[in-house]
Amino acid sequence: MNGNWMRVSPAELARAKDDLDWAYDLVRAAMDGEDDRVGGTGKAWHAFDFLLDRRGIELPIVVGAEAIVETPEADPDDDEYVEDLAHDWGYGSPRYLTAEQVAAANALLGALTEQDLSRGVDQAELERADIYPMVWDRPDQLSWVTHHLPYAQRFFAAAATDGDAVICWLD
Protein backbone atom coordinates (compact mmCIF):
# COMPACT_ATOMS: atom_id res chain seq x y z
CA MET A 1 0.00 0.00 0.00
CA ASN A 2 1.56 3.28 -1.15
CA GLY A 3 0.67 6.92 -0.59
CA ASN A 4 0.72 8.92 -3.81
CA TRP A 5 0.40 12.55 -4.88
CA MET A 6 0.04 14.29 -8.21
CA ARG A 7 0.28 18.02 -8.71
CA VAL A 8 -2.46 19.34 -10.98
CA SER A 9 -3.50 22.78 -12.08
CA PRO A 10 -6.82 24.10 -10.76
CA ALA A 11 -8.27 23.54 -14.25
CA GLU A 12 -7.06 19.92 -14.24
CA LEU A 13 -8.57 19.42 -10.79
CA ALA A 14 -11.91 20.80 -11.99
CA ARG A 15 -11.83 18.39 -14.93
CA ALA A 16 -10.84 15.49 -12.64
CA LYS A 17 -13.87 16.19 -10.45
CA ASP A 18 -16.08 15.99 -13.55
CA ASP A 19 -14.31 13.04 -15.17
CA LEU A 20 -12.52 10.69 -12.80
CA ASP A 21 -11.64 8.31 -15.65
CA TRP A 22 -9.75 11.16 -17.34
CA ALA A 23 -7.95 11.88 -14.05
CA TYR A 24 -7.00 8.22 -13.66
CA ASP A 25 -5.57 8.17 -17.19
CA LEU A 26 -3.66 11.41 -16.47
CA VAL A 27 -2.16 9.94 -13.30
CA ARG A 28 -1.24 6.62 -14.95
CA ALA A 29 0.45 8.38 -17.87
CA ALA A 30 2.40 10.58 -15.45
CA MET A 31 3.43 7.57 -13.36
CA ASP A 32 4.61 5.71 -16.45
CA GLY A 33 6.74 8.66 -17.55
CA GLU A 34 9.33 10.82 -15.86
CA ASP A 35 6.77 13.38 -14.69
CA ASP A 36 7.96 15.29 -11.62
CA ARG A 37 4.37 16.18 -10.79
CA VAL A 38 3.93 12.66 -9.35
CA GLY A 39 5.32 11.64 -5.99
CA GLY A 40 4.37 10.46 -2.57
CA THR A 41 5.51 8.74 0.58
CA GLY A 42 5.34 5.15 -0.60
CA LYS A 43 4.75 2.60 2.14
CA ALA A 44 5.58 5.20 4.79
CA TRP A 45 2.31 7.08 4.10
CA HIS A 46 0.47 6.00 7.27
CA ALA A 47 3.43 6.61 9.58
CA PHE A 48 4.19 9.96 7.92
CA ASP A 49 0.56 10.98 8.41
CA PHE A 50 0.70 9.79 12.03
CA LEU A 51 3.84 11.82 12.74
CA LEU A 52 2.37 14.95 11.15
CA ASP A 53 -0.80 14.52 13.18
CA ARG A 54 1.28 14.05 16.32
CA ARG A 55 2.93 17.42 15.61
CA GLY A 56 -0.54 18.99 15.62
CA ILE A 57 -0.83 19.33 11.85
CA GLU A 58 -4.53 18.81 11.23
CA LEU A 59 -4.46 19.29 7.46
CA PRO A 60 -4.44 15.76 5.98
CA ILE A 61 -1.44 16.38 3.73
CA VAL A 62 -0.83 12.70 2.99
CA VAL A 63 -4.35 11.55 2.12
CA GLY A 64 -6.09 14.76 1.03
CA ALA A 65 -8.78 16.85 2.63
CA GLU A 66 -11.52 16.75 0.02
CA ALA A 67 -13.27 13.82 -1.66
CA ILE A 68 -13.26 13.89 -5.45
CA VAL A 69 -16.15 11.42 -5.52
CA GLU A 70 -18.64 11.15 -2.70
CA THR A 71 -18.98 7.49 -1.79
CA PRO A 72 -21.99 7.00 0.45
CA GLU A 73 -22.21 4.03 2.76
CA ALA A 74 -23.86 1.29 0.73
CA ASP A 75 -24.69 -2.37 0.92
CA PRO A 76 -22.21 -4.46 -1.16
CA ASP A 77 -25.21 -6.01 -2.93
CA ASP A 78 -26.44 -2.56 -3.98
CA ASP A 79 -25.74 -1.44 -7.58
CA GLU A 80 -24.59 1.95 -6.23
CA TYR A 81 -21.84 0.23 -4.21
CA VAL A 82 -20.61 -1.62 -7.30
CA GLU A 83 -20.56 1.67 -9.21
CA ASP A 84 -18.50 3.28 -6.41
CA LEU A 85 -15.88 0.54 -6.83
CA ALA A 86 -15.23 1.89 -10.33
CA HIS A 87 -13.77 4.99 -8.64
CA ASP A 88 -11.38 2.96 -6.48
CA TRP A 89 -7.74 3.69 -7.34
CA GLY A 90 -6.39 0.89 -5.19
CA TYR A 91 -7.55 1.55 -1.64
CA GLY A 92 -10.51 3.82 -2.11
CA SER A 93 -11.29 6.86 -4.18
CA PRO A 94 -8.76 9.64 -4.61
CA ARG A 95 -8.97 12.80 -2.55
CA TYR A 96 -7.36 16.19 -3.07
CA LEU A 97 -5.93 19.33 -1.56
CA THR A 98 -6.94 22.65 -3.12
CA ALA A 99 -4.28 25.12 -4.20
CA GLU A 100 -4.95 27.06 -0.99
CA GLN A 101 -4.54 23.90 1.10
CA VAL A 102 -1.32 23.11 -0.79
CA ALA A 103 0.01 26.56 0.13
CA ALA A 104 -0.89 25.88 3.77
CA ALA A 105 0.74 22.42 3.58
CA ASN A 106 3.87 24.01 2.15
CA ALA A 107 4.08 26.44 5.07
CA LEU A 108 3.47 23.69 7.64
CA LEU A 109 5.99 21.29 6.13
CA GLY A 110 8.56 24.02 5.57
CA ALA A 111 8.62 24.78 9.28
CA LEU A 112 9.58 21.19 10.20
CA THR A 113 12.84 19.29 10.42
CA GLU A 114 13.22 15.53 10.41
CA GLN A 115 14.10 15.78 14.09
CA ASP A 116 10.89 17.73 14.78
CA LEU A 117 8.87 15.02 13.09
CA SER A 118 10.23 12.24 15.28
CA ARG A 119 10.85 14.17 18.51
CA GLY A 120 9.36 12.34 21.48
CA VAL A 121 8.10 9.44 19.37
CA ASP A 122 8.78 5.86 20.39
CA GLN A 123 8.39 3.21 17.69
CA ALA A 124 6.34 1.17 20.16
CA GLU A 125 3.75 3.97 19.96
CA LEU A 126 3.35 3.33 16.23
CA GLU A 127 3.08 -0.39 16.86
CA ARG A 128 0.37 0.15 19.50
CA ALA A 129 -1.51 2.39 17.08
CA ASP A 130 -1.38 -0.28 14.32
CA ILE A 131 0.40 2.08 11.93
CA TYR A 132 1.07 0.53 8.52
CA PRO A 133 3.44 -1.09 7.70
CA MET A 134 3.97 -3.11 10.84
CA VAL A 135 7.76 -2.77 10.99
CA TRP A 136 8.05 -0.98 14.31
CA ASP A 137 9.77 -3.89 16.07
CA ARG A 138 12.82 -3.28 13.84
CA PRO A 139 15.37 -0.65 14.87
CA ASP A 140 15.64 2.73 13.17
CA GLN A 141 12.34 2.67 11.28
CA LEU A 142 11.46 6.24 12.30
CA SER A 143 14.34 7.54 10.22
CA TRP A 144 12.95 5.58 7.26
CA VAL A 145 9.73 7.59 7.68
CA THR A 146 11.25 10.98 8.43
CA HIS A 147 13.59 10.85 5.45
CA HIS A 148 10.48 11.51 3.33
CA LEU A 149 10.15 15.02 4.80
CA PRO A 150 12.71 16.82 2.57
CA TYR A 151 11.08 15.29 -0.51
CA ALA A 152 7.58 16.28 0.71
CA GLN A 153 8.88 19.81 1.36
CA ARG A 154 10.25 20.10 -2.18
CA PHE A 155 7.10 18.59 -3.70
CA PHE A 156 4.72 20.94 -1.88
CA ALA A 157 6.98 23.96 -2.39
CA ALA A 158 6.92 23.36 -6.15
CA ALA A 159 3.17 22.81 -6.10
CA ALA A 160 2.59 25.99 -4.06
CA THR A 161 4.89 28.02 -6.32
CA ASP A 162 2.95 26.88 -9.39
CA GLY A 163 -0.46 27.38 -7.74
CA ASP A 164 -1.22 23.67 -8.09
CA ALA A 165 -3.71 21.48 -6.27
CA VAL A 166 -2.69 17.92 -5.32
CA ILE A 167 -4.61 14.70 -5.95
CA CYS A 168 -3.91 12.10 -3.23
CA TRP A 169 -4.56 8.35 -3.34
CA LEU A 170 -3.49 5.02 -1.94
CA ASP A 171 -2.64 2.06 -4.15
Side-chain angles (χ1 to χ4, degrees):
M1 185 183 282
N2 295 291
N4 302 286
W5 297 315
M6 180 162 175
R7 296 173 33 207
V8 293
S9 70
E12 288 171 322
L13 178 61
R15 183 167 179 193
K17 291 189 288 186
D18 288 337
D19 187 351
L20 196 55
D21 291 333
W22 173 84
Y24 184 78
D25 291 342
L26 178 72
V27 163
R28 288 292 150 213
M31 290 180 80
D32 289 343
E34 294 292 321
D35 195 326
D36 66 352
R37 296 187 314 156
V38 176
T41 53
K43 292 186 182 318
W45 70 272
H46 197 201
F48 195 76
D49 185 59
F50 179 84
L51 294 177
L52 291 173
D53 185 59
R54 213 169 168 288
R55 294 267 61 92
I57 296 175
E58 295 179 10
L59 182 63
I61 293 169
V62 174
V63 296
E66 313 292 335
I68 288 183
V69 175
E70 292 299 325
T71 53
E73 297 287 328
D75 182 326
D77 295 328
D78 186 343
D79 289 340
E80 189 175 316
Y81 177 80
V82 173
E83 183 178 313
D84 289 341
L85 291 179
H87 301 297
D88 187 326
W89 284 17
Y91 290 93
S93 298
R95 299 180 61 82
Y96 67 93
L97 296 166
T98 65
E100 294 78 17
Q101 290 166 329
V102 166
N106 179 47
L108 292 165
L109 290 170
L112 290 175
T113 66
E114 290 179 54
Q115 294 75 25
D116 293 334
L117 205 52
S118 63
R119 185 173 292 117
V121 178
D122 180 342
Q123 286 188 186
E125 184 180 348
L126 283 83
E127 189 166 1
R128 286 189 302 274
D130 290 326
I131 301 300
Y132 176 87
M134 295 304 294
V135 296
W136 312 116
D137 58 337
R138 299 180 204 156
D140 220 19
Q141 293 302 300
L142 280 179
S143 64
W144 166 70
V145 177
T146 60
H147 93 274
H148 287 83
L149 180 62
Y151 169 76
Q153 289 168 324
R154 289 188 303 274
F155 183 89
F156 278 91
T161 297
D162 291 348
D164 285 341
V166 171
I167 296 175
C168 312
W169 74 99
L170 301 175
D171 70 1

